Amino acid sequence: MDVAIVTVGDELLAGDTQDTNSTWLCGQLTERGVQVRRVTTVPDEIGEIARVVNEYRAEYDAVITTGGLGPTHDDVTMEAVAAAFGREVEPHEGALAWLEEHGGYSADDLVAGTTNLPAGARMLPNEEGVAPGAVVETVYVLPGVPAEMKAMFQLVADEFSGDRTYTTFLTTPQPESELIDLMVTLQETFGVSVGSYPGENVRVKVTARDPETLEDAASWLRERIDVVEGPEVSETA
Amino acid sequence: MDVAIVTVGDELLAGDTQDTNSTWLCGQLTERGVQVRRVTTVPDEIGEIARVVNEYRAEYDAVITTGGLGPTHDDVTMEAVAAAFGREVEPHEGALAWLEEHGGYSADDLVAGTTNLPAGARMLPNEEGVAPGAVVETVYVLPGVPAEMKAMFQLVADEFSGDRTYTTFLTTPQPESELIDLMVTLQETFGVSVGSYPGENVRVKVTARDPETLEDAASWLRERIDVVEGPEVSETA
């Protein structure tokens, strides 16, 4: 399963806010064996959001958007996703009912448009806030406030799955330039994927389709490089 | 001036690494009056990087890439940018000369390919590392290690400029829902752009083309909302 994430917000593109939502979602999806193929930040503009959502839903199995939900003039993601499907937004009865039952709101308390979702959308309740999310076909529309986004993602997490993989990291003080041939040989010998993340030490990430191959590959590499840490606890996904 | 940023790396899409480079670049560019229109993360794959770079260089005034420079098998950004222009990579004499002079390297010390840049590229020296960056027409290719990226961006920062703008933030404990009409009126009355960033308090960002308009708009708003902080020191860009 291939997924794209679209984060919405002028505050991200201005550098005023650090996007941590997409990193968290990438981790969650990777753990489920889902490949994230794009993370893209777009401005608070209906046309731009709709264009990117449409491009990505044509290409990937699912699209997750975060941000741009709510009552203010720059919250336009619902309208944009509706536009991407050639639909209108309309009041969602289930969204109002949920807010009345769980939030103690009445329709009069809510800013006009709060429960507007793209026509035909599935509503996702916002357990940590007010503005509901939505699912339209393969497009998942989540809030931008991290606590709200995380709670809402849990409601749909089971809809994201892929090939199970097994990953380990080894950390070495050797420079990347000494590891190049070893990493290529490791990849070719064991059919694993290998990444290296430079820093004070170099972290080598090895990912395999089964735990035995991962253990064999990690042992092979451990005999050939200086390891200061790891293999870390084998994360399974 | 409109710019797109492309961050390269499987480690970002796996959620292993938090991308802070693009946020920093967004801040730098915004300060210079440049509009960032897209930030996109792509995998370490030549075809995917080349496709996105080509799409964005056709649409925006400049493209900045970060990441995927270096000697390992997953460092493919230079090849990808070359491919985007239908060029090959080739050893850059100036890059080798710079490393010999400033880094004390000889050609034999360097991993094969270290000084390979797209044919015809302008070389950007890496004052904090080894792998050089490059400029090909409107595409700026920077490293992914933050210290290296920041130092290299300073070498080209003067090539990024746009309309000067003036910004201030006001922080209020009032909920966004109480601010909606005021923000719309503020926008329409003063011709400023207004954004609201929810959190424990709501931060309202006002951006204008001249400092007098900004002061007038901020005063107008300050008289109508409860302000717990701000206007913060007026940031000029």
Side-chain angles (χ1 to χ4, degrees):
Chain A
M1 186 180 192
D2 288 347
V3 168
I5 297 171
V6 179
T7 58
V8 179
D10 291 348
E11 73 279 18
L12 302 169
L13 295 172
D16 289 331
T17 304
Q18 170 73 53
D19 170 33
T20 57
N21 283 340
S22 65
T23 310
W24 184 87
L25 281 169
C26 284
Q28 293 284 315
L29 293 163
T30 302
E31 272 185 21
R32 287 168 174 77
V34 173
Q35 296 256 349
V36 181
R37 299 291 294 170
R38 289 284 187 286
V39 175
T40 295
T41 306
V42 298
D44 294 309
E45 297 172 23
I46 293 175
E48 297 290 289
I49 302 167
R51 182 155 69 109
V52 172
V53 166
N54 255 342
E55 180 190 333
Y56 289 169
R57 78 185 178 94
E59 182 149 1
Y60 307 111
D61 299 312
V63 178
I64 301 175
T65 75
T66 68
L69 305 193
T72 67
H73 64 285
D74 54 358
D75 292 319
V76 297
T77 304
M78 283 297 174
E79 283 177 73
V81 171
F85 286 90
R87 301 185 190 178
E88 301 289 326
V89 296
E90 58 183 33
H92 188 285
E93 288 182 16
L96 178 58
W98 195 92
L99 283 164
E100 288 174 339
E101 185 178 349
H102 294 85
Y105 291 95
S106 74
D108 294 341
D109 301 328
L110 296 167
V111 177
T114 298
T115 61
N116 279 2
L117 304 184
R122 168 157 56 110
M123 188 271 291
L124 300 176
N126 189 334
E127 296 173 346
E128 301 286 332
V130 177
V135 185
V136 187
E137 297 185 10
T138 57
V139 179
Y140 293 74
V141 186
L142 306 184
V145 176
E148 299 180 18
M149 186 278 297
K150 290 176 184 180
M152 199 177 285
F153 177 76
Q154 299 303 343
L155 304 176
V156 294
D158 289 346
E159 299 171 33
F160 294 88
S161 65
D163 294 332
R164 185 170 282 262
T165 58
Y166 300 84
T167 293
T168 191
F169 287 89
L170 287 85
T171 302
T172 174
Q174 294 177 251
E176 271 190 317
S177 55
E178 292 181 9
L179 307 173
I180 295 169
D181 293 341
L182 283 171
M183 292 196 291
V184 171
T185 306
L186 184 71
Q187 238 174 349
E188 290 172 353
T189 307
F190 295 93
V192 294
S193 73
V194 184
S196 70
Y197 302 171
E200 194 178 340
N201 291 308
V202 175
R203 298 175 75 215
V204 179
K205 179 180 183 178
V206 185
T207 304
R209 293 257 174 238
D210 64 86
E212 295 75 26
T213 303
L214 183 68
E215 181 48 39
D216 292 348
S219 299
W220 185 91
L221 186 60
R222 208 164 36 229
E223 289 167 12
R224 287 164 177 80
I225 63 173
D226 303 330
V227 175
V228 291
E229 287 173 38
E232 291 169 17
V233 178
S234 184
E235 302 164 5
T236 65
Chain B
M1 186 178 191
D2 288 347
V3 167
I5 297 171
V6 178
T7 58
V8 179
D10 291 348
E11 73 279 16
L12 303 169
L13 294 171
D16 290 330
T17 303
Q18 171 73 52
D19 170 33
T20 56
N21 283 341
S22 64
T23 310
W24 185 86
L25 280 170
C26 284
Q28 293 284 316
L29 292 164
T30 301
E31 271 185 23
R32 286 168 175 76
V34 173
Q35 296 257 348
V36 181
R37 299 290 295 170
R38 289 284 188 285
V39 175
T40 295
T41 307
V42 297
D44 294 309
E45 298 172 23
I46 292 174
E48 296 292 288
I49 302 166
R51 182 154 69 106
V52 172
V53 166
N54 256 341
E55 181 189 332
Y56 290 169
R57 77 185 180 95
E59 184 148 0
Y60 306 111
D61 299 312
V63 178
I64 301 175
T65 75
T66 67
L69 305 194
T72 68
H73 64 286
D74 54 359
D75 292 320
V76 297
T77 304
M78 282 297 174
E79 283 177 73
V81 171
F85 285 90
R87 303 185 190 177
E88 302 288 326
V89 296
E90 58 182 35
H92 188 285
E93 288 183 15
L96 177 58
W98 195 91
L99 283 164
E100 288 175 339
E101 184 177 350
H102 295 84
Y105 291 95
S106 74
D108 293 341
D109 301 329
L110 296 167
V111 177
T114 298
T115 61
N116 279 2
L117 303 184
R122 168 157 57 112
M123 187 272 291
L124 299 176
N126 189 335
E127 296 173 346
E128 300 287 331
V130 176
V135 185
V136 187
E137 298 185 9
T138 58
V139 179
Y140 293 73
V141 185
L142 306 183
V145 176
E148 299 179 18
M149 185 278 296
K150 291 176 183 179
M152 199 178 285
F153 177 75
Q154 300 303 345
L155 304 176
V156 294
D158 288 347
E159 299 172 30
F160 295 88
S161 66
D163 294 333
R164 185 169 282 260
T165 60
Y166 300 84
T167 293
T168 190
F169 288 90
L170 287 84
T171 302
T172 174
Q174 292 178 251
E176 272 190 317
S177 56
E178 293 181 9
L179 307 174
I180 296 169
D181 293 341
L182 283 171
M183 291 196 291
V184 170
T185 306
L186 185 71
Q187 238 174 348
E188 290 171 354
T189 307
F190 295 93
V192 294
S193 72
V194 184
S196 70
Y197 303 172
E200 194 178 338
N201 291 308
V202 176
R203 298 175 75 216
V204 179
K205 178 180 182 178
V206 185
T207 304
R209 295 257 173 238
D210 65 88
E212 294 75 25
T213 303
L214 183 69
E215 181 48 39
D216 291 347
S219 299
W220 185 92
L221 187 61
R222 207 163 38 225
E223 289 167 12
R224 285 161 178 83
I225 64 174
D226 303 331
V227 174
V228 292
E229 286 173 40
E232 293 169 15
V233 179
S234 185
E235 301 165 5
T236 63

